[in-house]
Amino acid sequence: MSEITLEAVNLTKKFDRKIIFENLSFRLTEGSSAAITGRNGSGKSTLIKIIANLLSQTSGSLKLQLNGSNTKKEHLFRHIGFVSPYLNLYDEFSGYENLKLVADIRGGGHENVDTVLKRVGLFERRNDMLKIYSSGMKQRLKIAFSIMHNPDILLLDEPTSNLDTEGIGVVDKIAEEYKKDRILIIATNDEHEKSLCSIEINLNKNV
Ligand SMILES: Nc1ncnc2c1ncn2[C@@H]1O[C@H](COP(=O)(O)OP(=O)(O)O)[C@@H](O)[C@H]1O
Ligand SMILES: [Mg+2]
């Protein structure tokens, strides 16, 4: 088991001069789960993207330590899994090909592709092009992307949106697994998604 620490100190994000959140500090270690909550536009997705290293903060520090060593920014993608409404998929490729492509970009093998497709219930539809996937099927594929490389931190932005009861069950199981000995972070206002997390980081109080 790895020691995982994600620490934010005085994290501040501005878009132009508009403060989205200010001086946000938190520390999460393996076995913890946090819900990032707050009204629409409070910065939940922005914070998730900063943690995923897809956006940078205006000031403050964010560190990921694995077994006591800091992770270099350029290696973060190996350790972080990310599901978000902003993630782009390729409509002209099948679900299977989309996953293989991401595995190639990450520099990993393809051995997990079938396993994750089965896990999210898409194995039977793996060869269909994405353009005929329903929104719930696309959401399931995004979840498959996020766990394919066995990340240490799983970041989920409104993960159960568009999912049916069975799909929500898939998210629940994955959430249970990741919060056991890794770090799980969910950006949400949904009561069920919040209930999967043990602490709450509320962005309303922040500005
Ligand atoms: N690229 C951007 N440029 C300027 N403003 C942005 C950008 N992305 C998000 N925002 C603004 O930042 C605020 C927070 O957005 P977001 O993080 O998506 O909120 P939430 O996920 O909590 O609904 C909103 O006011 C949004 O308009
Ligand atoms: Mg959002």
Side-chain angles (χ1 to χ4, degrees):
M1 202 176 92
S2 338
E3 278 176 30
I4 313 167
T5 306
L6 178 72
E7 186 172 38
V9 180
N10 293 332
L11 213 54
T12 296
K13 179 64 183 175
K14 296 179 194 172
F15 283 116
D16 300 318
R17 266 186 251 150
K18 187 175 175 216
I19 297 170
I20 308 299
F21 48 79
E22 198 169 30
N23 293 329
L24 190 66
S25 299
F26 56 85
R27 187 171 184 274
L28 299 170
T29 54
E30 73 279 359
S32 54
S33 49
I36 299 171
T37 61
R39 62 180 184 278
N40 295 144
S42 61
K44 301 180 296 297
S45 296
T46 302
L47 177 57
I48 286 265
K49 286 184 209 163
I50 292 171
I51 299 170
N53 198 30
L54 300 173
L55 259 185
S56 41
Q57 65 268 38
T58 308
S59 60
S61 76
L62 186 69
K63 272 193 303 197
L64 172 63
Q65 284 200 331
L66 292 172
N67 294 321
S69 329
N70 285 330
T71 308
K72 288 194 182 132
K73 271 210 171 238
E74 61 267 32
H75 294 155
L76 278 173
F77 73 98
R78 293 188 194 150
H79 303 287
I80 290 179
F82 182 52
V83 172
S84 127
Y86 306 98
L87 206 64
N88 290 315
L89 306 167
Y90 295 96
D91 260 358
E92 302 298 321
F93 289 105
S94 69
Y96 184 76
E97 287 165 338
N98 266 279
L99 286 182
K100 273 205 320 193
L101 214 61
V102 168
D104 287 340
I105 293 168
R106 285 193 185 125
H110 298 163
E111 60 277 358
N112 286 335
V113 174
D114 285 355
T115 314
V116 292
L117 281 167
K118 284 179 191 155
R119 181 123 199 227
V120 301
L122 285 178
F123 189 69
E124 308 300 322
R125 303 291 301 272
R126 67 192 180 285
N127 293 321
D128 289 350
M129 276 208 254
L130 239 62
K131 61 182 173 200
I132 67 160
Y133 272 30
S134 69
S135 47
M137 289 168 72
K138 285 185 180 171
Q139 184 65 7
R140 286 173 184 233
L141 193 69
K142 288 182 182 181
I143 293 163
F145 275 115
S146 73
I147 57 169
M148 198 167 47
H149 57 311
N150 243 326
D152 296 295
I153 300 187
L154 187 60
L155 305 173
L156 306 175
D157 193 349
E158 303 185 354
T160 63
S161 51
N162 296 316
L163 291 181
D164 56 18
T165 312
E166 188 200 271
I168 294 171
V170 169
V171 170
D172 290 355
K173 266 198 173 162
I174 292 170
E176 290 301 331
E177 179 189 321
Y178 275 77
K179 73 186 191 195
K180 219 182 293 159
D181 57 1
R182 306 184 212 191
I183 294 174
L184 171 73
I185 299 177
I186 307 182
T188 188
N189 280 312
D190 173 88
E191 289 305 323
H192 174 68
E193 292 181 350
K194 276 200 240 176
S195 76
L196 299 171
C197 301
S198 50
I199 69 158
E200 184 170 342
I201 298 170
N202 186 309
L203 298 182
N204 288 339
K205 300 178 202 135
N206 210 256
V207 177

mmCIF file with all atom_site columns, all heavy atoms in Angstrom, residues 44-45 86 157-158, ligand 2:
data_model
loop_
_atom_site.group_PDB
_atom_site.id
_atom_site.type_symbol
_atom_site.label_atom_id
_atom_site.label_alt_id
_atom_site.label_comp_id
_atom_site.label_asym_id
_atom_site.label_entity_id
_atom_site.label_seq_id
_atom_site.pdbx_PDB_ins_code
_atom_site.Cartn_x
_atom_site.Cartn_y
_atom_site.Cartn_z
_atom_site.occupancy
_atom_site.B_iso_or_equiv
_atom_site.pdbx_formal_charge
_atom_site.auth_seq_id
_atom_site.auth_comp_id
_atom_site.auth_asym_id
_atom_site.auth_atom_id
_atom_site.pdbx_PDB_model_num
ATOM   1  N  N   . LYS A 1 44  ? -16.180 24.540 -8.301  1.00 0.00 ? 44  LYS A N   1
ATOM   2  C  CA  . LYS A 1 44  ? -15.929 23.101 -8.072  1.00 0.00 ? 44  LYS A CA  1
ATOM   3  C  C   . LYS A 1 44  ? -15.146 22.471 -9.224  1.00 0.00 ? 44  LYS A C   1
ATOM   4  O  O   . LYS A 1 44  ? -14.124 21.817 -9.004  1.00 0.00 ? 44  LYS A O   1
ATOM   5  C  CB  . LYS A 1 44  ? -17.265 22.345 -7.903  1.00 0.00 ? 44  LYS A CB  1
ATOM   6  C  CG  . LYS A 1 44  ? -18.111 22.845 -6.755  1.00 0.00 ? 44  LYS A CG  1
ATOM   7  C  CD  . LYS A 1 44  ? -19.410 22.064 -6.626  1.00 0.00 ? 44  LYS A CD  1
ATOM   8  C  CE  . LYS A 1 44  ? -20.357 22.203 -7.806  1.00 0.00 ? 44  LYS A CE  1
ATOM   9  N  NZ  . LYS A 1 44  ? -20.867 23.573 -8.031  1.00 0.00 ? 44  LYS A NZ  1
ATOM   10 N  N   . SER A 1 45  ? -15.630 22.688 -10.451 1.00 0.00 ? 45  SER A N   1
ATOM   11 C  CA  . SER A 1 45  ? -14.936 22.090 -11.606 1.00 0.00 ? 45  SER A CA  1
ATOM   12 C  C   . SER A 1 45  ? -13.552 22.706 -11.773 1.00 0.00 ? 45  SER A C   1
ATOM   13 O  O   . SER A 1 45  ? -12.589 22.016 -12.132 1.00 0.00 ? 45  SER A O   1
ATOM   14 C  CB  . SER A 1 45  ? -15.750 22.290 -12.887 1.00 0.00 ? 45  SER A CB  1
ATOM   15 O  OG  . SER A 1 45  ? -16.978 21.601 -12.779 1.00 0.00 ? 45  SER A OG  1
ATOM   16 N  N   . TYR A 1 86  ? -16.217 17.868 -19.125 1.00 0.00 ? 86  TYR A N   1
ATOM   17 C  CA  . TYR A 1 86  ? -15.397 18.558 -20.126 1.00 0.00 ? 86  TYR A CA  1
ATOM   18 C  C   . TYR A 1 86  ? -14.492 17.632 -20.918 1.00 0.00 ? 86  TYR A C   1
ATOM   19 O  O   . TYR A 1 86  ? -13.834 18.047 -21.853 1.00 0.00 ? 86  TYR A O   1
ATOM   20 C  CB  . TYR A 1 86  ? -14.531 19.630 -19.451 1.00 0.00 ? 86  TYR A CB  1
ATOM   21 C  CG  . TYR A 1 86  ? -15.352 20.569 -18.645 1.00 0.00 ? 86  TYR A CG  1
ATOM   22 C  CD1 . TYR A 1 86  ? -15.472 20.415 -17.281 1.00 0.00 ? 86  TYR A CD1 1
ATOM   23 C  CD2 . TYR A 1 86  ? -16.049 21.606 -19.268 1.00 0.00 ? 86  TYR A CD2 1
ATOM   24 C  CE1 . TYR A 1 86  ? -16.265 21.266 -16.533 1.00 0.00 ? 86  TYR A CE1 1
ATOM   25 C  CE2 . TYR A 1 86  ? -16.847 22.455 -18.536 1.00 0.00 ? 86  TYR A CE2 1
ATOM   26 C  CZ  . TYR A 1 86  ? -16.948 22.284 -17.171 1.00 0.00 ? 86  TYR A CZ  1
ATOM   27 O  OH  . TYR A 1 86  ? -17.736 23.125 -16.450 1.00 0.00 ? 86  TYR A OH  1
ATOM   28 N  N   . ASP A 1 157 ? -16.033 14.576 -11.376 1.00 0.00 ? 157 ASP A N   1
ATOM   29 C  CA  . ASP A 1 157 ? -16.848 15.790 -11.444 1.00 0.00 ? 157 ASP A CA  1
ATOM   30 C  C   . ASP A 1 157 ? -18.263 15.372 -11.867 1.00 0.00 ? 157 ASP A C   1
ATOM   31 O  O   . ASP A 1 157 ? -18.464 14.950 -13.006 1.00 0.00 ? 157 ASP A O   1
ATOM   32 C  CB  . ASP A 1 157 ? -16.231 16.770 -12.454 1.00 0.00 ? 157 ASP A CB  1
ATOM   33 C  CG  . ASP A 1 157 ? -16.825 18.166 -12.358 1.00 0.00 ? 157 ASP A CG  1
ATOM   34 O  OD1 . ASP A 1 157 ? -17.846 18.343 -11.663 1.00 0.00 ? 157 ASP A OD1 1
ATOM   35 O  OD2 . ASP A 1 157 ? -16.270 19.084 -12.999 1.00 0.00 ? 157 ASP A OD2 1
ATOM   36 N  N   . GLU A 1 158 ? -19.194 15.449 -10.946 1.00 0.00 ? 158 GLU A N   1
ATOM   37 C  CA  . GLU A 1 158 ? -20.593 15.038 -11.172 1.00 0.00 ? 158 GLU A CA  1
ATOM   38 C  C   . GLU A 1 158 ? -20.671 13.683 -11.884 1.00 0.00 ? 158 GLU A C   1
ATOM   39 O  O   . GLU A 1 158 ? -21.250 13.560 -12.957 1.00 0.00 ? 158 GLU A O   1
ATOM   40 C  CB  . GLU A 1 158 ? -21.325 16.115 -11.966 1.00 0.00 ? 158 GLU A CB  1
ATOM   41 C  CG  . GLU A 1 158 ? -21.268 17.459 -11.271 1.00 0.00 ? 158 GLU A CG  1
ATOM   42 C  CD  . GLU A 1 158 ? -22.091 18.549 -11.972 1.00 0.00 ? 158 GLU A CD  1
ATOM   43 O  OE1 . GLU A 1 158 ? -22.625 18.295 -13.064 1.00 0.00 ? 158 GLU A OE1 1
ATOM   44 O  OE2 . GLU A 1 158 ? -22.196 19.629 -11.406 1.00 0.00 ? 158 GLU A OE2 1
HETATM 45 MG MG  . MG  B 2 .   ? -18.924 22.125 -12.360 1.00 0.00 ? 2   MG  B MG  1
#
